[in-house]
Amino acid sequence: MSTRSAEPIDPVALEVVELIGDVVARYHEEYDEAASRHSLTGAQARVLGLLSLEPMPMRRIARRLKCEPSNVTGIVDRLEARGLVERRPDPSDRRVKLAAVTDRGKDTARLLRDSLDFAREPLAGLTVAERALLRDLLRRMLGEETP
Amino acid sequence: MSTRSAEPIDPVALEVVELIGDVVARYHEEYDEAASRHSLTGAQARVLGLLSLEPMPMRRIARRLKCEPSNVTGIVDRLEARGLVERRPDPSDRRVKLAAVTDRGKDTARLLRDSLDFAREPLAGLTVAERALLRDLLRRMLGEETP
DNA sequence: ACCTGGTTACTTGACAACATGAAACATCCA
DNA sequence: TGGATGTTTCATGTTGTCAAGTAACCAGGT
């Protein structure tokens, strides 16, 4: 997996990595702030956002969050205690519990998305063409093929 | 602070935001994995990295981490218990304690940096010119002026 | 010079959220 | 029936907040 680079490290690459660090910091800052504006923690907001797309078994949430399933139990517990999420039985498998947003949860998730300024603010300084360029570069950096 | 956009949202901007989400996820994945390869948590690795550049009063660490100073006490406690960091008095102000990496801490910090593949791996697919372009776009996106 | 009061730096304590791992339980499936 | 899977519970550790406490700095004013 890890490329043992014998090549001298490109100073521009280092700058890019530094900038990505800044992007990550900024992303979290804004995300957590948006979450706490709705009295949610980052993890809770993340799960709520996931479930607002489609109901999902606990197991799958854990995979998305890259954490243990036992952890998800607690997070969903807290969301459920606040009426944002509910557990439903899965008709096709009585072992699994589907976590699904309630109506209130759906509203909250929408508000959360809207209050996430990261989508608009930092990109405002770029032209449409530059955004497209940025998109393509990020795609290739992430190794996603553009078929 | 937040731009109340009346304008319809640029679909390309949404794609970029999605990609940035991917970048953030990937960044964390690699960072935490590198940290746990050395039996460190993410926060511990972060502080160790900070201190490997220069010793720093607790207060400043807290500001960099954007958390309460009381939290830093615990993190430095754990790093100190493992001999990676030590507290020194500040000669110019007896209230402050300077956290500084030990020799072992410095070694660990270097190993940590080296094993952080994010610097090389994902940028490998880009040419030098493209990296420079990406750097400039990220800079402008983050609102840093290039004087 | 000597308090005195306000500020700053750090720690401690209580508590909540997150995270892991092991063990328990019900359910599925070959 | 026996092994695998999905969820929860429990014990434990780390990270985070906030309030309170201690020590030290730094103004004044007398």
Side-chain angles (χ1 to χ4, degrees), chain A residues 31-51:
Chain A
Y31 195 91
D32 287 352
E33 191 190 318
S36 77
R37 231 176 281 142
H38 298 273
S39 307
L40 292 172
T41 65
Q44 287 164 8
R46 177 107 191 274
V47 170
L48 192 62
L50 268 182
L51 297 180

Side-chain angles (χ1 to χ4, degrees), chain A residues 129-144:
Chain A
E130 287 171 329
R131 291 178 205 178
L133 195 52
L134 178 58
R135 176 199 57 195
D136 294 339
L137 287 173
L138 287 175
R139 264 196 201 147
R140 291 188 39 211
M141 193 188 84
L142 286 165
E144 303 172 8

Side-chain angles (χ1 to χ4, degrees), chain A residues 75-88:
Chain A
I75 298 173
V76 170
D77 279 350
R78 286 177 277 269
L79 286 172
E80 195 169 27
R82 295 182 38 187
L84 301 175
V85 153
E86 62 179 8
R87 285 170 164 95
R88 300 180 192 153

Side-chain angles (χ1 to χ4, degrees), chain A residues 38-97:
Chain A
H38 298 273
S39 307
L40 292 172
T41 65
Q44 287 164 8
R46 177 107 191 274
V47 170
L48 192 62
L50 268 182
L51 297 180
S52 72
L53 302 178
E54 68 178 328
M56 205 176 281
M58 309 293 282
R59 190 84 191 161
R60 188 130 61 95
I61 302 177
R63 266 193 294 268
R64 292 297 227 90
L65 259 56
K66 292 188 199 308
C67 70
E68 300 300 316
S70 60
N71 192 14
V72 178
T73 299
I75 298 173
V76 170
D77 279 350
R78 286 177 277 269
L79 286 172
E80 195 169 27
R82 295 182 38 187
L84 301 175
V85 153
E86 62 179 8
R87 285 170 164 95
R88 300 180 192 153
D90 180 340
S92 70
D93 187 337
R94 279 182 304 167
R95 288 171 303 178
V96 348
K97 286 171 190 167

